[in-house]
Amino acid sequence: MKITMIGTGYVGLVSGACLSEVGNDVLCLDTNLDKIRVLNDGGIPIFEPGLQDMVARNRTAGRLRFTTDVAEAVTHGTVQFIAVGTPPDEDGSADLRHVQAAAAQIGRHMRGYRLIVDKSTVPVGTADLVRETVARELAARGEAIEFSVVSNPEFLKEGAAVEDFMRPDRIIVGADDARAIETMRHLYAPFQRSHERLLAMDVRSAELTKYAANAMLATRISFMNELANLAERLGADIELVRQGIGSDPRIGYHFLYPGCGYGGSCFPKDVKALLRTAREAGMDLAVLDAVERANEIQKGVLGRKIVARLGEDLSGRHLALWGLAFKPNTDDMREAPSLVLIEELLRRGATIAAYDPASMEEARRMLGERPRLTYASAPMAALEGADALVVATEWKEFRSPDFETIKTMLKSPLLFDGRNVFDPPQVRAAGLEYHGIGRG
């Protein structure tokens, strides 16, 4: 099948690569010349395990190509995926300018039937906007060409996106005509050979499903973070509590890990957008409002713990920071708790040596040059001369360090574990003072 992917960001590039992997002829469009140049030169603009090899393999096979030519892209694919960014506006609503521009381009250049698929995370009612935009462009041309608009939200976890696309839990398709649904079933057939995973529903329900899923996951995280803070005050261990409630099959273990707050490109943005959607519909989502507030508070938990132990004035204190990305296996630092922590520590006069396996370049881009912020070449190198070690991201390579070596390298035997990566008795046995999240 010939497919056009409009947008080569995180969702568009992963989706385009995975669709080409099963034999489709995919042309990816982006107006960013530098990004297309990188892709055509064999690189990729994001860090995602397995993606670079997949892109290279399918480029070599001729099934995956990249262009900035809008007319060529619209002409190419019978199926046109819109996978552009929807950043939050100042009021928290999703900015749909790029989605609308993509729809206008399709309407301006299409010459035959097109199935237009909203892959971007968009508010309820966006499919109607896309349909109106395409129809307006066709009317301006004096054309009456048939087209369909489908909602097909993505459910890709950063760090496991290729696996998620190739082996999906579910495939949500919101459509109001049989032809569109049948085409989507054919398109996704290679990804659901063992059993049917495609759920067809009306368009608005599909659009809401995406926001509802991310809001539910964010709710579980904020709930566990608040429970962890309570456990600390009561002298309980949140890890044991997590095991106790997770063993209930009605609850399960997923997303019950407390820490220093959630971040990334999805949860913060989608929670804000759903709150805004509810307000526009004349109601408040009290639970979700509390989830957002709790997360903003939780992002400061590591800073508060460090201040409680080392004092309000951190001048002369040097801290080693392990982890900058908002989660492991990505270089994404959008809304990352590490950003809040770094700003707080620098504001109080501390110096920081930071290390992350994937986000060093992104950190330099986002934070710029700071006189008291340096970047280490390796985890242990960050410890040189540090008063304490702070862990903000649970990368695998951090999980089993030599704690005795850590103790000898630190000026003070202090470890602040913002992701509960380590076993407190093991850390303390090595002579380190351990500060986790809700560990009693």
Side-chain angles (χ1 to χ4, degrees):
M1 192 179 297
K2 288 190 174 183
I3 297 167
T4 293
M5 189 67 59
I6 303 175
T8 59
Y10 188 83
V11 173
L13 185 56
V14 171
S15 300
C18 290
L19 288 167
S20 69
E21 179 78 358
V22 296
N24 293 294
D25 181 2
V26 180
L27 179 61
C28 294
L29 169 71
D30 204 294
T31 57
N32 186 320
L33 293 171
D34 291 335
K35 188 181 291 186
I36 294 299
R37 189 177 299 114
V38 168
L39 289 163
N40 281 329
D41 287 343
I44 60 172
I46 59 173
F47 176 84
E48 179 62 37
L51 182 59
Q52 183 148 12
D53 289 343
M54 182 178 283
V55 169
R57 183 165 59 247
N58 286 285
R59 280 186 68 248
T60 300
R63 293 189 298 265
L64 181 63
R65 294 176 293 120
F66 304 97
T67 186
T68 59
D69 189 324
V70 173
E72 178 192 11
V74 175
T75 300
H76 173 79
T78 301
V79 181
Q80 301 269 318
F81 279 89
I82 297 177
V84 296
T86 54
D89 271 339
E90 292 181 5
D91 61 2
S93 62
D95 184 346
L96 298 176
R97 285 177 298 174
H98 300 306
V99 172
Q100 199 165 3
Q105 290 171 346
I106 295 170
R108 207 168 291 141
H109 296 282
M110 61 187 282
R111 294 291 180 266
Y113 172 80
R114 291 293 178 265
L115 173 55
I116 303 165
V117 183
D118 284 337
K119 198 68 175 171
S120 302
T121 300
V122 293
V124 175
T126 300
D128 295 336
L129 175 65
V130 169
R131 190 177 290 108
E132 292 164 5
T133 302
V134 174
R136 186 166 57 248
E137 291 294 333
L138 288 173
R141 292 167 48 194
E143 299 276 6
I145 303 172
E146 186 183 358
F147 68 94
S148 303
V149 179
V150 166
S151 174
N152 175 220
E154 55 85 15
F155 296 95
L156 306 178
K157 299 186 295 291
E158 291 193 46
V162 171
E163 178 73 12
D164 286 346
F165 198 103
M166 298 301 291
R167 295 177 177 82
D169 297 317
R170 76 285 204 201
I171 300 162
I172 303 296
V173 172
D176 54 14
D177 70 83
R179 180 179 182 180
I181 294 173
E182 185 60 29
T183 301
M184 295 300 285
R185 286 192 189 281
H186 178 67
L187 180 66
Y188 279 111
F191 304 98
Q192 48 174 345
R193 296 187 60 129
S194 61
H195 64 275
E196 180 74 21
R197 293 181 174 89
L198 191 147
L199 302 174
M201 59 185 70
D202 64 275
V203 174
R204 286 181 170 248
S205 295
E207 290 172 332
L208 182 56
T209 296
K210 168 62 177 181
Y211 279 116
N214 279 354
M216 174 62 78
L217 297 176
T219 298
R220 287 171 70 98
I221 294 170
S222 280
F223 174 75
M224 284 304 292
N225 284 338
E226 291 217 304
L227 210 58
N229 297 336
L230 177 61
E232 235 171 64
R233 295 200 178 196
L234 299 178
D237 187 341
I238 195 62
E239 175 58 20
L240 300 178
V241 175
R242 182 190 69 80
Q243 294 174 26
I245 65 175
S247 60
D248 185 333
R250 297 170 301 174
I251 298 172
Y253 292 102
H254 294 300
F255 285 82
L256 291 186
Y257 292 91
C260 51
Y262 62 75
S265 63
C266 294
F267 288 4
K269 174 176 69 72
D270 293 352
V271 167
K272 285 182 173 65
L274 188 53
L275 286 168
R276 175 71 181 182
T277 296
R279 284 194 292 270
E280 290 175 350
M283 66 177 290
D284 291 322
L285 298 180
V287 171
L288 204 55
D289 192 51
V291 166
E292 184 183 38
R293 290 200 312 273
N295 188 60
E296 290 307 306
I297 293 170
Q298 195 69 11
K299 285 184 178 181
V301 69
L302 277 174
R304 291 191 293 273
K305 286 178 176 291
I306 292 168
V307 168
R309 180 62 180 81
L310 297 178
E312 298 276 346
D313 184 2
L314 297 178
S315 299
R317 296 288 192 176
H318 181 59
L319 301 170
L321 176 59
W322 284 5
L324 295 167
F326 85 95
K327 62 178 284 188
N329 297 321
T330 181
D331 62 351
D332 194 344
M333 288 182 61
R334 285 173 288 185
E335 302 280 348
S338 64
L339 296 174
V340 175
L341 176 63
I342 288 169
E343 294 296 347
E344 177 68 6
L345 296 179
L346 292 178
R347 185 179 69 82
R348 292 182 178 274
T351 58
I352 303 167
Y355 171 78
D356 188 281
S359 297
M360 304 293 261
E361 184 177 334
E362 181 66 7
R364 289 186 175 94
R365 187 188 70 80
M366 292 186 71
L367 294 166
E369 294 300 322
R370 305 287 186 94
R372 287 182 282 112
L373 173 63
T374 58
Y375 299 98
S377 59
M380 301 308 279
L383 300 175
E384 293 287 350
D387 292 284
L389 168 61
V390 186
V391 179
T393 313
E394 63 277 31
W395 285 91
K396 284 184 180 178
E397 69 178 79
F398 299 160
R399 291 182 183 177
S400 298
D402 185 333
F403 291 112
E404 293 186 0
T405 300
I406 290 175
K407 184 192 174 187
T408 61
M409 294 183 71
L410 292 174
K411 290 195 289 187
S412 307
L414 294 173
L415 195 160
F416 295 90
D417 185 358
R419 297 296 181 182
N420 289 351
V421 178
F422 307 124
D423 177 49
Q426 182 185 10
V427 175
R428 292 175 181 132
L432 287 159
E433 184 180 311
Y434 180 82
H435 298 269
I437 307 294
R439 300 308 303 269

